[in-house]
């Protein structure tokens, strides 16, 4: 029983972080209707940024949380503006712009290979003040970096939801996501909103990078591992849904951790995919998605 | 007329040169050099180990020749003839044929890759040319009833055998009794292969298996596995991991405060140069099985490694040590054979019992072949990650004869 409760705690913490990595993906999809294949690479950029910042300046990993995300916001903002926007414009008023998906795939390859060229293929971890530290909760052990990651993930999701509801930019993002033409007619600059959405998605990847780096290692193709999870989570939670991403992440994390206690951990992967397929059959829109909302 | 005479003179000269080359040179060569054919991966995916082996061989040959060559053959020098296998079995076979038929080598050595060595030794067997295999670990290479194949290094199944020998020896040495054992391994070919033999030997030695857990190498999170490990409360944890998962497992175990009495890894990820860099003090106490370590307590090991490092800029590795030893085994056999006849060299090799000399840099006691041609003494080294000058480093602890002087292994590592 102890092991199961311990596994539940671990699964929830790890799951919230999976949710965090999926949050940026679901946001960009919600607003732009684009599956961003470069998302894993953006996460990798976030991890490397956090890695180098902590490694070179020796600052506390959570100080990186106020430096890395804004920098990545600017990076994402201009990445969309310079690389993706022209393709978007060329596609005109197509409902699901396919070429853009291919462009994001290109961005993925360029970023991964650039990182490979600059930093090499080796695994890097950075030892921080909180690395491998844990505290005991009764007989259970809570890893400090993972617990902090959990808190940051929930705070980010709540913060993003509030931003979408309360601010003018957030409302414009939601309006564009509902109907880009109507939003355009209401005086919202569609492409500026895309820049912001992409920037926000990248910034969230930066946040994820900051909370992952104290206990995980980074290498140029690290994004691929998280990417597959993120896609499943986004579909599970409902495309474009913020609470859906968090819940989807928790579900995956819990399955992975708790089911492992009863069977070989190689099986949990298969179970995750099986559940994914079942959801697709039973409720294709996911937990929080709406039928035909785009 | 004028032209004609020049042609005649030229033809005469060429004729003389040719006859000199044809008759005089082989007669001289037979007295003065012994040709050793050497198929190695010098380009392609395994080129780096191929080059390590080549450099180690060249250092050994230089030493042997400088010390007067093969005295029983009138001071004959050893000469290596290289061929690049590109790690390709087909190329390995054709190159072996070429070395034997065209280059007329007296014996063969190589080829590092098991996949290349397996068919190449078959060729040599057919021609009756002795083949000294320094390292290619697939069991079956020496298990086909061949007369001419001799292997220096330990074979695959011996890795697991030595892990259990180590556990037994250490328990006897320290008087600590360990009972519960856990297996955690990557679910590829390598990990599942090891696990299969672990189960067999654990049963034979009377251990109680409390966890038998494969995991995917690509896992993002190994906390579930570590949680399971914690619940199983094993005394011993046996691991087979690649680099990324070795790092993740070690760090997660530290975080979850899982401290089994003995953690015993199987090289691979745990032997990776990046492993200690990324785990630091979390790795302290871990035992790992490797082919060789720079500090093995053998008189010849240190000077050989220093010389090699000075010459090529890096430490000897398991692969290069086996290649180095192979040259001394060959020289020793030639000395006793007193002939360049392949059949006589073969018989001398079969009677090898090399325990001393500059070639003995290995952790084990010597080279002596059994009837299959496998070096009976061949073994592996177990190292422990310990604090050396304030930094975690690998220290040889087993076999006891090779243990770093003055080091007392922490066994159990966690009380």
């Amino acid at each position: 029983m102890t092991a199961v409760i311990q596994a539940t705690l671990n699964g929830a913490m790890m799951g919230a972080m999976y949710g965090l990595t999926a949050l940026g993906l679901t946001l960009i999809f919600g607003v732009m209707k684009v599956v961003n294949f470069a998302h894993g690479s953006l996460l990798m950029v976030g991890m490397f940024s956090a890695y180098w910042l902590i490694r070179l300046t020796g600052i506390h990993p959570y100080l990186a949380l106020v430096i890395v995300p804004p920098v990545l916001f600017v990076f994402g903002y201009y990445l969309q503006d310079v690389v993706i926007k022209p393709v978007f414009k060329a596609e005109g008023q197509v409902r699901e712009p396919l070429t853009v998906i291919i462009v994001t795939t290109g961005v993925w390859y360029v970023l991964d290979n650039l990182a490979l060229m600059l930093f090499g293929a080796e695994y890097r971890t950075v030892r921080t003040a909180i690395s491998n530290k844990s505290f005991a909760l009764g007989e259970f052990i809570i890893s400090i970096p993972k617990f902090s990651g959990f808190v940051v993930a929930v705070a980010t999701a709540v913060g993003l939801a509030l931003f979408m509801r309360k601010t003018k930019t957030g409302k414009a993002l939601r309006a564009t996501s509902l109907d880009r033409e109507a939003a355009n007619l209401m005086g919202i600059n569609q492409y500026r909103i895309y820049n912001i959405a992409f920037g926000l998605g990248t910034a969230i990847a930066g946040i994820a990078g900051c909370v992952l780096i104290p206990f995980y290692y980074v290498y140029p193709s690290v994004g691929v591992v998280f990417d597959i999870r993120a896609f499943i989570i986004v579909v599970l939670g409902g495309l474009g849904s913020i609470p859906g991403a968090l819940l989807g992440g928790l579900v995956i994390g819990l399955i992975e951790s708790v089911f492992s206690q009863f069977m070989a951990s190689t099986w949990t992967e298969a179970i995750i995919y099986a559940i994914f397929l079942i959801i697709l059959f039973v409720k294709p829109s996911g937990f929080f998605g709406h039928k035909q909302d785009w | 007329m004028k032209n004609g005479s020049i042609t005649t003179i030229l033809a005469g000269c060429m004729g003389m040169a040719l006859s000199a080359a044809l008759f005089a040179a082989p007669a001289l060569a037979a007295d003065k050099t012994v040709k050793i054919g050497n198929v190695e991966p010098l380009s392609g995916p395994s080129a780096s180990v191929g080059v390590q082996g080549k450099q180690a061989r060249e250092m050994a040959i230089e030493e042997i020749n400088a010390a007067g060559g093969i005295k029983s053959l009138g001071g004959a020098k050893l000469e290596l003839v290289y061929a690049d296998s590109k790690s390709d079995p087909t190329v390995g076979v054709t190159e072996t044929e070429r070395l034997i038929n065209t280059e007329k080598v007296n014996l063969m050595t190589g080829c590092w890759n098991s996949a290349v060595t397996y068919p190449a030794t078959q060729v040599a067997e057919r021609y009756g040319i002795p083949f000294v295999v320094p390292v290619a670990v697939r069991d079956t290479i020496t298990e086909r009833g061949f007369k001419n194949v001799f292997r220096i290094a330990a074979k695959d199944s011996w890795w697991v055998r030595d892990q259990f020998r180590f556990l037994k020896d250490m328990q006897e040495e320290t008087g600590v009794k360990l009972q519960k054992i856990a297996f955690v391994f990557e679910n590829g070919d390598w990990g599942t292969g090891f696990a299969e033999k672990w189960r067999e030997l654990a049963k034979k030695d009377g251990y109680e298996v409390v966890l038998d857990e494969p995991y995917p190498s690509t896992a993002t999170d190994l906390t579930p596995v570590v949680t399971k490990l914690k619940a199983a409360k094993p005394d011993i944890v046996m691991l087979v991991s690649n680099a990324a998962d070795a790092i993740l497992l070690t760090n997660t175990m530290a975080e979850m405060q899982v401290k089994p009495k003995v953690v015993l890894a199987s090289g691979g990820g745990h032997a990776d140069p990046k492993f200690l860099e990324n785990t630091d003090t979390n790795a302290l106490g871990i035992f790992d099985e490797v082919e060789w370590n720079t500090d093995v307590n053998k008189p010849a090991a240190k000077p050989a490694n220093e010389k090699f490092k000075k010459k090529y800029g890096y430490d000897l590795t398991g692969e290069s040590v086996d290649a180095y030893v192979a040259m001394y085994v060959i020289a020793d056999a030639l000395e006793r054979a007193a002939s360049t006849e392949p059949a006589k060299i073969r018989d001398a090799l079969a009677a090898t019992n090399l325990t001393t000399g500059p070639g003995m840099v290995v952790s084990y006691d010597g080279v002596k072949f059994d009837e299959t041609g496998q070096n009976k003494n061949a073994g592996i080294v177990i190292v422990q990650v310990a604090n050396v000058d304030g930094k975690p480093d690998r220290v040889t602890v087993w076999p006891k004869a090779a243990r770093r002087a003055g080091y007392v292994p922490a066994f159990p590592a966690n009380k």
Side-chain angles (χ1 to χ4, degrees):
Chain A
M1 198 57 207
T2 317
V4 175
I5 296 170
Q6 177 76 61
T8 311
L9 292 170
N10 290 335
M13 290 189 290
M14 205 58 205
M17 272 177 289
Y18 289 154
L20 181 63
T21 61
L23 209 53
L25 188 70
T26 205
L27 175 72
I28 291 171
F29 182 85
V31 176
M32 295 172 70
K33 304 291 175 271
V34 166
V35 178
N36 178 21
F37 278 99
H39 191 70
S41 303
L42 295 176
L43 177 69
M44 178 271 295
V45 172
M47 286 175 83
F48 262 119
S49 308
Y51 171 83
W52 285 116
L53 184 70
I54 295 167
R55 173 100 194 253
L56 296 177
T57 61
I59 60 167
H60 194 275
Y62 295 133
L63 202 58
L65 265 175
V66 295
I67 302 169
V68 173
V71 174
L72 261 88
F73 176 82
V74 176
F75 177 71
Y77 188 97
Y78 284 102
L79 188 70
Q80 140 70 20
D81 198 51
V82 176
V83 180
I84 301 173
K85 193 171 81 182
V87 189
F88 233 116
K89 281 190 163 160
E91 287 263 294
Q93 293 304 313
V94 185
R95 199 81 179 115
E96 296 163 67
L98 266 181
T99 326
V100 181
I101 294 176
I102 297 167
V103 171
T104 61
T105 312
V107 172
W108 159 19
Y109 279 105
V110 170
L111 288 178
D112 277 19
N113 284 296
L114 215 59
L116 192 63
M117 214 167 80
L118 288 173
F119 311 126
E122 70 223 36
Y123 302 105
R124 293 161 188 273
T125 54
V126 55
R127 304 192 62 79
T128 64
I130 55 160
S131 286
N132 311 125
K133 293 277 180 340
S134 51
F135 63 87
L137 195 75
E139 54 185 315
F140 307 112
I141 288 169
I142 309 287
S143 142
I144 292 176
K146 281 178 190 159
F147 181 71
S148 319
F150 174 80
V151 173
V152 170
V154 174
T156 307
V158 171
L160 185 66
L162 283 177
F163 172 80
M164 295 293 267
R165 275 184 200 290
K166 304 285 178 198
T167 65
K168 212 173 167 193
T169 318
K171 283 175 183 161
L173 280 162
R174 281 197 298 146
T176 314
S177 118
L178 286 173
D179 190 331
R180 69 175 77 133
E181 277 137 59
N184 250 335
L185 290 173
M186 296 298 121
I188 294 170
N189 182 343
Q190 179 193 340
Y191 292 108
R192 213 183 135 252
I193 291 298
Y194 285 1
N195 288 351
I196 292 172
F198 209 89
L200 278 175
T202 312
I204 294 169
I207 296 174
C210 290
V211 297
L212 285 173
I213 209 72
F215 69 92
Y216 206 71
Y217 47 85
V218 56
Y219 59 101
S221 49
V222 69
V224 179
V225 187
F226 285 96
D227 232 3
I228 301 166
R229 289 260 144 78
F231 283 125
I232 295 178
I233 289 165
V234 167
V235 174
L236 269 185
L239 292 161
S241 162
I242 294 166
L246 205 59
L247 187 69
L250 282 171
V251 168
I252 300 285
L254 285 171
I255 292 175
E256 198 180 69
S257 185
V258 179
F259 280 39
S260 290
Q261 304 311 311
F262 303 104
M263 59 189 79
S265 49
T266 34
W267 276 101
T268 56
E269 199 105 337
I271 288 170
I272 289 171
Y273 287 112
I275 289 180
F276 173 65
L277 284 175
I278 292 168
I279 292 281
L280 275 183
F281 278 123
V282 179
K283 196 171 186 299
S285 51
F287 301 145
F288 291 106
H290 305 289
K291 239 184 200 170
Q292 302 283 317
D293 66 343
W294 48 282
Chain B
M1 183 64 190
K2 206 179 180 186
N3 273 347
S5 64
I6 290 173
T7 316
T8 319
I9 294 165
L10 268 178
C13 288
M14 273 173 74
M16 275 163 65
L18 260 177
S19 58
L22 276 174
F23 300 107
L28 269 174
D31 291 342
K32 286 289 170 212
T33 67
V34 180
K35 276 186 163 185
I36 306 166
N38 201 341
V39 178
E40 282 289 308
L42 298 174
S43 66
S46 336
S48 67
V49 273
V51 171
Q52 285 170 23
K54 183 170 185 265
Q55 288 170 337
R57 281 183 179 89
E58 267 154 17
M59 187 168 106
I61 293 289
E62 254 178 53
E63 289 167 6
I64 293 164
N65 287 343
I70 308 300
K71 282 156 203 120
S72 68
L73 288 170
K77 300 276 185 280
L78 298 184
E79 187 198 339
L80 290 169
V81 186
Y82 286 99
D84 181 8
S85 72
K86 305 185 175 74
S87 298
D88 182 339
T90 326
V91 178
V93 166
T94 46
E95 287 294 61
T96 307
E97 296 254 9
R98 183 180 67 81
L99 289 174
I100 294 172
N101 289 322
T102 316
E103 298 283 346
K104 305 277 182 221
V105 297
N106 303 95
L107 71 161
M108 289 285 306
T109 179
C111 316
W112 193 74
N113 311 73
S114 283
V116 180
T117 313
Y118 191 82
T121 44
Q122 203 156 344
V123 173
E125 178 74 11
R126 203 168 61 227
Y127 286 103
I129 298 286
F131 202 123
V132 179
V133 180
V135 57
V137 289
R138 185 193 285 178
D139 283 18
T140 46
I141 287 170
T142 50
E143 292 173 357
R144 290 172 291 175
F146 285 1
K147 289 268 157 291
N148 292 289
V149 180
F150 301 91
R151 171 163 47 197
I152 311 276
K155 47 185 174 183
D156 231 354
S157 52
W158 291 11
W159 280 70
V160 172
R161 181 201 66 185
D162 280 7
Q163 288 181 320
F164 279 87
R165 275 189 183 171
F166 158 78
L167 289 172
K168 208 177 213 169
D169 283 0
M170 289 307 289
Q171 289 179 66
E172 268 166 28
E173 186 183 327
T174 56
V176 176
K177 195 82 197 89
L178 301 176
Q179 188 54 41
K180 290 192 267 180
I181 196 163
F183 305 143
V184 176
F185 52 97
E186 61 99 35
N187 66 341
D189 226 27
W190 177 41
T192 46
F194 259 64
E196 221 170 273
K197 290 171 198 150
W198 280 344
R199 283 175 209 126
E200 228 171 82
L201 289 180
K203 201 173 161 199
K204 211 177 103 209
D205 285 0
Y207 291 106
E208 180 195 343
V209 179
V210 291
L211 182 68
D212 189 342
E213 181 79 357
Y215 67 84
S217 253
T218 51
T220 31
D221 180 25
L222 290 173
T223 323
V225 175
V226 175
T227 311
K228 244 174 148 165
L229 200 56
K230 195 179 167 91
K233 295 196 181 68
D235 298 325
I236 306 163
V237 180
M238 311 270 283
L239 299 170
V240 175
S241 309
N242 294 304
D245 30 317
I247 295 167
L248 208 52
L249 265 177
T250 306
N251 288 339
T252 311
M253 278 170 76
E255 202 173 272
M256 300 284 295
Q257 297 165 19
V258 181
K259 289 176 182 152
K261 287 179 179 142
V262 173
V263 177
L264 176 54
S266 317
H270 289 88
D272 193 283
K274 287 281 148 202
F275 175 72
L276 285 185
E277 210 173 287
N278 282 314
T279 52
D280 203 40
T281 50
N282 291 343
L284 286 176
I286 289 180
F287 291 98
D288 188 19
E289 186 174 39
V290 291
E291 282 161 303
W292 191 77
N293 199 35
T294 48
D295 69 346
V296 293
N297 195 10
K298 284 298 181 92
K302 208 174 170 206
N305 188 47
E306 269 167 12
K307 190 173 164 195
F308 187 85
K309 198 168 183 178
K310 207 172 152 203
K311 219 168 148 86
Y312 301 111
Y314 60 96
D315 285 321
L316 280 166
T317 58
E319 280 83 14
S320 45
V321 160
D322 288 322
Y324 183 77
V325 178
M327 292 302 115
Y328 277 96
V329 169
I330 288 172
D332 167 69
L334 286 168
E335 196 68 70
R336 284 179 291 108
S339 161
T340 53
E341 267 314 285
K344 292 208 174 116
I345 299 174
R346 187 257 152 214
D347 290 342
L349 274 169
T352 298
N353 187 9
L354 188 68
T355 52
T356 51
M360 288 322 290
V361 295
V362 288
S363 58
Y364 45 86
D365 295 335
V367 179
K368 189 172 186 178
F369 299 108
D370 64 12
E371 63 284 2
T372 68
Q374 169 66 42
N375 177 11
K376 275 192 264 193
N377 295 327
I380 288 128
V381 180
I382 307 265
V383 297
Q384 181 168 39
V385 179
N387 221 329
V388 179
D389 306 326
K391 239 181 79 198
D393 199 2
R394 296 176 177 87
V395 178
T396 304
V397 294
W398 187 90
K400 209 175 170 188
R403 182 176 297 167
R404 181 185 288 193
Y407 182 73
V408 182
F411 190 98
N414 298 297
K415 296 214 169 74

